[in-house]
Structures are given as C-alpha cells and as structure tokens.
Amino acid sequence: MSIPFVTLNNGISMPQLGLGLYAPKQQNEVKQSVLDALDLGIRLIDSAAIYGNEQEVGQGIVASGVTRKDLFVTSKVWMDDMGYDATLHAFDKTLNDLGVEYLDLYLIHWPKDTARKETWKALESLYEQKLCRSIGVSNYYKKHLEELFLHANICPAVNQFELSPFCYMPEELAFNQEHGIQVEGYAPLVRGWKKDDSVLNEIATHYGKSTYQLLVRWNIELGAVTIPKSVKRARIQENMDVFDFHISTDDMKQLSQLFDNTRVAWDPRDF
Ligand SMILES: NC(=O)c1ccc[n+]([C@@H]2O[C@H](COP(=O)([O-])OP(=O)(O)OC[C@H]3O[C@@H](n4cnc5c(N)ncnc54)[C@H](OP(=O)(O)O)[C@@H]3O)[C@@H](O)[C@H]2O)c1
C-alpha cells in the first residue's frame, strides 16, 4: 500500500511516513539505507547536520535515480550554528553536503534560548528566497511556540518532537493542531526499548502486527508524520507496512495510557 500525504499549512504535500537517519554506526550503512528506503517507495528523508551523514544521504539520493521533485528532503540546523548568519552558513553546507539545490523542509533542531528568534528570521529568509519549500521547528513545546508567534512573520509548517505512547502529551499535540502546524513524531519505536511491554505485545498480536508496526501506526492514527529509523531493508519494509489496518479507539486509549515519560532525547521543557 502506498504512503499517504498530508497537506502543510502552506499547501505543500508531505509523505506521512519517512526514513529516520540518526546515528548510524558504520560508513555506507546510511547510503544503503537511503537507497533501500527509496527503492521500497519511501520519499521522505529525515536528515540533520548533526547526524554527520548528509554526504552519504546525498550519495544515496543520487544512486537511487529518484527525481528530485518526487523527494521530500528535510534537514535541521544544529544548536552550535544558531543565529542569523550562522544559520545561513549552516544551510549552505547542508545543501552542499546533500548535493541538492533546495530543501523541502528546514527545521530548528532544538529551541536553544539565546538564538532561536534570530534563527527563525534566517529560516524565514530562506523560505522567501525559495531555498526551502517549507520551514519548521523541532522540540518546540507550547511555551516555545507562543514565544515564536510573538515575532514570527511565517507560522511553522511542521513541528517535529518525540512521540510514542510512552512520551505522549496530548495537550502539545492539540496545541499544534489548533494552530495548523503539522506534528512530525520522532523516535516512534522508542529505539526498541519497549519491545517487551506486555500491553504493546497483546495489542500487536491482536492485529497480527509487530510491536514496531503498532507503534508506527499509533503515530499515523494521531495524524502525525512519522520517521522510524532503520538501516536494515527488511525492517524498513516492516515499519512501512502499516497502512492495511487501523487501531480501534479502545486500543488507542489503552496505548495512550502507557505514558511514563520515557524519552530517547532531552525533554524540551528543559529548554
Ligand atoms: N528532532 C530531533 O531532535 C530528533 C531526535 C531523535 C530522533 N530524530 C529523528 O527521528 C528518527 C527516528 O528516531 P530514532 O532513530 O531515535 O529511534 P526509533 O526510530 O524509535 O528507533 C530506531 C532503532 O530501532 C531499531 N529498529 C528499527 N526498526 C526495527 C524493527 N522493525 N525491529 C527491530 N528493531 C528496529 C533500529 O535499529 P536498526 O537501524 O539496526 O534496524 C534503531 O536502533 C531519527 O533517526 C531521526 O531522524 C529526531
């Protein structure tokens, strides 16, 4: 089954499922995983300068032969590169490393307090120059967005933050939805840390799916874009095989009660 699209607040389409690319261990693993994912039909690539693999991602894109306009390429400006000029510079490096002429989505990776306003101005400028088809933020909770609304000329199209039943803050999701900001959930698989959870296993068995597939589908049911990471072809395929079932309302409720604040990354409330 093909991957559906969501429409962002500026009218552009974004695939609802993509490939995460954080922390590969071996060289060429990432190039191959991009190739595999594109071959399997994934079109959204979730890159970031800090992952240190944008050149390899670019090689995978070229080798795939997929037309640039059919791809949705995301990257993020890291904390060390925040501020107006530094962000523009980091963006140039990202484009160069990825070997592309524009990004589909550029995000502020974390809301580092001292520089986040100027960084957003830089992203607005990149958007106005049509070097990014959309701009957004990552790890922004309500307090960061409220601050951004006070000075922004452009509303973020996307907010990427950690989203799994174990890290589910419904009020954060609702706030983004109320403001027309597409939520993109990261670490949907909780890096496999919860694979033995009994509730997950019971519900996944009921649908004839793996716990990994259940977690990906849980993000989809909430209307989020999701970016499970794997460098293994069979797992990439498994993680995208989630469009032939629905999780019932009762099971969604049960899953949403698994919240225990397990996070693979920092808590945005500390920023
Ligand atoms: N904006 C941010 O601050 C931020 C923070 C964290 C992550 N992200 C993004 O979100 C993406 C996903 O998050 P994540 O990489 O942290 O964690 P994740 O997607 O929740 O989990 C990835 C881990 O699960 C394993 N895995 C994947 N599919 C599996 C399967 N079907 N069966 C068994 N194991 C499986 C992977 O191993 P193998 O690769 O060996 O298969 C990897 O160790 C990242 O890659 C990155 O693009 C963004």
Side-chain angles (χ1 to χ4, degrees):
M1 265 187 197
S2 57
I3 295 169
F5 288 82
V6 294
T7 304
L8 303 182
N9 59 16
N10 64 353
I12 78 162
S13 295
M14 177 178 191
Q16 206 182 352
L17 185 145
L19 179 70
L21 287 166
Y22 174 66
K25 290 186 199 74
Q26 288 169 22
Q27 242 192 338
N28 285 327
E29 238 182 12
V30 159
K31 178 182 171 188
Q32 189 56 45
S33 70
V34 169
L35 259 176
D36 283 333
L38 296 179
D39 183 50
L40 290 166
I42 285 179
R43 292 293 177 262
L44 162 60
I45 299 291
D46 187 65
S47 176
I50 191 67
Y51 302 165
N53 56 24
E54 296 205 302
Q55 290 184 357
E56 252 193 84
V57 173
Q59 289 161 12
I61 289 173
V62 169
S64 75
V66 176
T67 314
R68 174 66 186 91
K69 71 170 177 42
D70 292 333
L71 294 171
F72 193 101
V73 181
T74 304
S75 188
K76 316 178 190 89
V77 55
W78 185 241
M79 288 190 268
D80 296 345
D81 292 322
M82 286 172 72
Y84 192 85
D85 291 336
T87 296
L88 297 182
H89 187 70
F91 179 80
D92 275 349
K93 181 171 183 338
T94 278
L95 279 194
N96 202 40
D97 286 351
L98 287 169
V100 295
E101 290 181 350
Y102 65 91
L103 290 185
D104 296 279
L105 176 64
Y106 199 41
L107 303 174
I108 300 181
H109 208 143
W110 285 91
K112 189 172 130 183
D113 51 0
T114 50
R116 61 195 185 217
K117 287 187 196 172
E118 286 305 306
T119 305
W120 186 251
K121 287 265 161 287
L123 264 61
E124 288 182 331
S125 154
L126 292 167
Y127 181 72
E128 277 153 11
Q129 294 173 64
K130 302 199 187 315
L131 291 166
C132 305
R133 293 179 69 229
S134 57
I135 52 174
V137 292
S138 175
N139 297 300
Y140 272 51
Y141 275 176
K142 186 168 176 272
K143 66 171 182 176
H144 309 112
L145 287 171
E146 280 173 339
E147 176 201 272
L148 184 142
F149 293 154
L150 295 176
H151 62 82
N153 293 318
I154 300 171
C155 179
V158 172
N159 184 8
Q160 182 183 114
F161 56 85
E162 187 160 353
L163 190 59
S164 78
F166 305 92
C167 177
Y168 177 42
M169 298 171 68
E171 65 285 2
E172 293 295 339
L173 196 84
F175 187 78
N176 282 273
Q177 288 170 340
E178 280 157 21
H179 288 84
I181 302 171
Q182 175 63 48
V183 171
E184 181 175 27
Y186 73 68
L189 312 172
V190 208
R191 297 202 180 145
W193 299 348
K194 297 288 186 179
K195 68 176 166 33
D196 297 325
D197 181 274
S198 58
V199 174
L200 273 191
N201 274 284
E202 192 187 316
I203 297 177
T205 305
H206 169 76
Y207 292 104
K209 293 286 179 182
S210 70
T211 53
Y212 294 90
Q213 290 170 318
L214 184 72
L215 288 170
V216 175
R217 183 71 215 183
W218 181 84
N219 267 258
I220 300 285
E221 296 287 355
L222 291 180
V225 170
T226 184
I227 43 173
K229 175 259 175 186
S230 179
V231 290
K232 299 183 175 68
R233 186 181 173 99
R235 288 179 176 178
I236 296 171
Q237 182 140 41
E238 174 185 342
N239 298 341
M240 64 191 283
D241 183 17
V242 297
F243 296 103
D244 57 352
F245 78 113
H246 281 284
I247 305 175
S248 73
T249 309
D250 282 352
D251 288 338
M252 283 299 286
K253 269 193 201 140
Q254 214 187 330
L255 289 167
S256 302
Q257 281 162 9
L258 293 174
F259 177 85
D260 61 3
N261 205 33
T262 299
R263 293 171 185 274
V264 310
W266 299 305
D267 188 335
R269 288 172 294 191
D270 296 335
F271 280 71

